[in-house]
Amino acid sequence: EVKEAPWGLFFMRENGRRRKMKMKKNEEYQIRIDDMGVNGEGIGKVDGITLFVKDALIGDVARVKIMKMKKQYGFARLMEVLEPSPWRVEPKCQFHRQCGGCQIQALSYEKQLEFKQNKVLGNLQRIGGFTEIPMEPIVGMEDPWHYRNKAQFPVGKDKEGNLITGFYAGRTHQIIPNRDCALGVSVNREILDIVLDTMTEEGVEAYDEETGKGLVRHILIRYGFKTGEIMVCLVINGDTLKSAEKFVDKLVQIPGMTSISVCINKKQTNVIMGDTVKVLWGQGYITDYIGDIKYQISPLSFYQVNPVQTEKLYGQALEYAGLTGNEIVWDLYCGIGTISLFLAQKAKQVYGVEIVPQAIEDAKNNAKINGIKNAEFYVGKAEEILPDYYAEYAKTHNGETAHADVIVVDPPRKGCDAVLLDTILKMQPNRIVYVSCDSATLARDLKILCEKDYRLVKVRAVDQFSHTGHVETVVLLSQLKQKPDDYIKCHD
């Protein structure tokens, strides 16, 4: 006898005893979504088995189809929303389910912020083992649309042979035609129209990933939110762009156009950008500001895509650093020096470390154009540069231990290397400011630091990528030997 319990919990009765049924691929169930995963996928349970359901939202009651099963969990496809979540809203973009960019656009913005706050809190509790977490309110956006200052559009053809551009469908390289992304700036559409129309008129072919033939692979657009400067860079599978002057003549008519270039990438690879950039018109970069700091941004520069929230994020890091003008600061994983230059405004000396040589060149140049002389930058892995510095310092200073007043880390998603964490602990900074794009690895690293000599003082999430499942977090740690009010006095 097969029974259906509330919200789709299925089981079988044999001789009056309850027995779980084994779920199989293509079977359908009715479930309530009571949580969401790291990428915004809905989470519900069927007879104790967890199912992950893309496009399902917290509060939905849905009919789902099993697509893949593991021993303790499975993945299901959303077939029908039977009872919509009270937080479900009408998405602005008709392609939000197909495109891999906005995983939670159908969730109200207020609920998005709550979800992200809880995501950080949950990881700190579950992975980090923290019980009392000094969590400050998440920093949201006043307008969570059209915030991206950078977009990379793949170019291809539809089934009829027409040129298209847009975004890849989630986990594929199938292009979803869309020239007007709800997260991008409005000028993107005008630029894309010009490029594709000119390609059609001049017979310029789109790149074909399967054959490796064709010319134009991607269209990169950057926009300076404070300066209004615009960059267009066409990524090409060749050394030159056919009819380049035609593209330039049309693009320069757009107000704010500052830089037009091509980036050469002749490799059969998923990597978008090549190593060589040739300027067709204007200069090889645009400029923009974060706070009062001016940055030059080239096609190959790493630069945060949400300048509005970046200013809040780095401002929070600066506040947590509690600088008075007398501190020695290390900024690890410094990129083009965005946080370093923020810190240098109030520190005695800042040392930045980044593995990408071009990023360090940008950092040095950005320091120069801002007249900042108390920031030095080093190329290399943070987990090698800092330990080497620590060891060398002892040799050249009669065994004296190297010390930093503040260490700031902004690592990639994988978090900090164990050797780096060990060196940070040895250097005994008064404060550690950890900026993280992955709260799971953040929690893991904080557990290591706080098992030794540090305590968690403040935590704040920043919604850097609205309508996606991602969230940035800024954390302040201070030495256990400091009195609880030491940081407050320093900050005041």
Side-chain angles (χ1 to χ4, degrees):
E1 179 188 5
V2 178
K3 299 287 187 182
E4 181 181 350
W7 316 123
L9 301 184
F10 287 79
F11 58 90
M12 179 176 287
R13 291 283 183 183
E14 287 183 351
N15 300 322
R17 298 183 64 184
R18 184 177 186 274
R19 181 173 69 83
K20 289 183 180 180
M21 292 175 62
K22 185 177 180 181
M23 289 185 286
K24 298 178 181 178
K25 185 177 179 179
N26 295 325
E27 289 182 339
E28 294 189 3
Y29 296 93
Q30 177 180 313
I31 62 172
R32 176 185 290 278
I33 304 299
D34 51 23
D35 200 357
M36 290 171 65
V38 293
N39 295 314
E41 67 275 24
I43 300 176
K45 288 190 176 183
V46 174
D47 201 15
I49 301 297
T50 298
L51 293 180
F52 295 89
V53 187
K54 182 180 177 295
D55 300 317
L57 304 176
I58 295 175
D60 279 344
V61 176
R63 179 170 60 87
V64 302
K65 178 187 283 190
I66 304 296
M67 304 306 295
K68 187 176 181 180
M69 285 302 303
K70 300 288 188 179
K71 283 187 177 181
Q72 300 297 328
Y73 63 93
F75 300 91
R77 175 180 296 168
L78 177 65
M79 304 302 293
E80 181 184 5
V81 177
L82 302 172
E83 294 181 24
S85 164
W87 304 289
R88 183 175 279 276
V89 297
E90 187 65 30
K92 277 194 175 186
C93 178
Q94 62 177 315
F95 304 111
H96 81 283
R97 285 189 64 175
Q98 300 154 277
C99 172
C102 296
Q103 305 100 332
I104 57 175
Q105 193 181 124
L107 190 66
S108 72
Y109 188 58
E110 293 72 22
K111 196 65 177 179
Q112 288 185 33
L113 295 180
E114 181 184 320
F115 158 65
K116 294 181 181 187
Q117 178 98 343
N118 290 338
K119 175 180 176 180
V120 174
L121 192 63
N123 281 333
L124 290 176
Q125 291 170 336
R126 188 178 64 258
I127 301 172
F130 296 97
T131 53
E132 296 183 8
I133 301 172
M135 196 91 180
E136 298 190 288
I138 187 171
V139 180
M141 297 195 71
E142 292 181 12
D143 180 10
W145 304 100
H146 304 292
Y147 61 78
R148 290 187 61 95
N149 60 11
K150 173 188 174 184
Q152 297 173 129
F153 298 89
V155 181
K157 289 184 177 182
D158 61 18
K159 294 180 181 179
E160 288 71 40
N162 301 310
L163 288 172
I164 58 172
T165 188
F167 298 96
Y168 290 131
R171 301 178 182 273
T172 76
H173 270 216
Q174 175 190 350
I175 299 176
I176 304 298
N178 180 12
R179 303 186 193 183
D180 192 16
C181 172
L183 302 189
V185 293
S186 58
V187 75
N188 285 354
R189 173 151 197 160
E190 184 179 0
I191 293 169
L192 296 175
D193 287 345
I194 288 174
V195 172
L196 265 64
D197 288 349
T198 306
M199 288 178 65
T200 300
E201 293 166 6
E202 300 299 319
V204 178
E205 290 292 322
Y207 177 72
D208 187 317
E209 286 188 341
E210 294 185 4
T211 65
K213 297 180 179 180
L215 186 61
V216 179
R217 304 171 69 126
H218 278 80
I219 304 166
L220 166 68
I221 303 172
R222 289 185 183 267
Y223 178 77
F225 267 54
K226 292 191 176 180
T227 62
E229 295 180 2
I230 302 170
M231 168 190 292
V232 176
C233 180
L234 304 185
V235 183
I236 59 174
N237 178 42
D239 295 313
T240 58
L241 175 64
K242 178 184 176 183
S243 303
E245 68 283 355
K246 299 288 186 181
F247 288 92
V248 171
D249 288 345
K250 294 181 180 180
L251 289 171
V252 296
Q253 302 304 314
I254 299 175
M257 189 59 64
T258 303
S259 174
I260 304 173
S261 61
V262 293
C263 178
I264 298 170
N265 182 1
K266 294 187 283 187
K267 299 178 181 178
Q268 285 193 277
T269 173
N270 289 335
V271 177
I272 294 175
M273 304 298 289
D275 298 323
T276 304
V277 175
K278 294 182 179 179
V279 177
L280 300 179
W281 178 87
Q283 56 197 32
Y285 59 87
I286 62 171
T287 57
D288 204 13
Y289 289 81
I290 300 176
D292 296 326
I293 303 296
K294 182 179 181 180
Y295 298 91
Q296 289 185 354
I297 309 154
S298 72
L300 299 180
S301 293
F302 171 79
Y303 189 72
Q304 291 280 7
V305 300
N306 186 339
V308 173
Q309 293 300 91
T310 296
E311 186 168 343
K312 297 176 185 177
L313 178 71
Y314 292 169
Q316 194 69 66
L318 180 59
E319 178 186 325
Y320 281 4
L323 303 177
T324 63
N326 299 311
E327 292 84 6
I328 303 298
V329 181
W330 281 82
D331 178 19
L332 309 176
Y333 311 97
C334 70
I336 64 169
T338 41
I339 295 182
S340 301
L341 301 184
F342 250 58
L343 298 168
Q345 297 174 98
K346 294 189 176 182
K348 179 180 180 180
Q349 181 68 44
V350 177
Y351 300 102
V353 180
E354 172 59 50
I355 192 173
V356 181
Q358 181 59 49
I360 289 297
E361 289 302 311
D362 287 342
K364 291 178 178 178
N365 185 57
N366 288 328
K368 182 179 179 180
I369 64 176
N370 285 282
I372 293 175
K373 299 180 180 180
N374 61 332
E376 295 182 26
F377 298 95
Y378 302 94
V379 177
K381 294 181 179 180
E383 57 267 29
E384 294 177 358
I385 294 290
L386 196 66
D388 288 351
Y389 164 81
Y390 181 81
E392 187 63 26
Y393 190 93
K395 292 179 182 178
T396 57
H397 290 75
N398 297 319
E400 184 181 341
T401 301
H403 173 74
D405 298 295
V406 178
I407 292 181
V408 178
V409 294
D410 186 6
R413 298 189 68 82
K414 67 178 182 178
C416 294
D417 185 275
V419 174
L420 178 62
L421 292 176
D422 182 60
T423 305
I424 290 173
L425 288 168
K426 288 178 180 177
M427 289 182 69
Q428 289 289 295
N430 298 329
R431 293 176 294 284
I432 300 170
V433 179
Y434 196 132
V435 181
S436 170
C437 61
D438 188 323
S439 57
T441 54
L442 166 70
R444 178 202 68 199
D445 292 349
L446 293 184
K447 183 177 182 180
I448 295 170
L449 294 169
C450 290
E451 281 177 344
K452 301 290 184 180
D453 301 321
Y454 290 85
R455 72 173 184 276
L456 198 58
V457 177
K458 291 186 179 182
V459 180
R460 191 157 207 177
V462 178
D463 183 30
Q464 189 83 348
F465 308 100
S466 303
H467 308 293
T468 78
H470 303 296
V471 60
E472 295 276 324
T473 311
V474 190
V475 173
L476 169 64
L477 303 179
S478 70
Q479 285 190 10
L480 286 171
K481 65 183 180 182
Q482 288 183 282
K483 297 177 182 178
D485 60 349
D486 279 352
Y487 165 73
I488 303 299
K489 289 178 181 177
C490 175
H491 180 61
D492 290 344

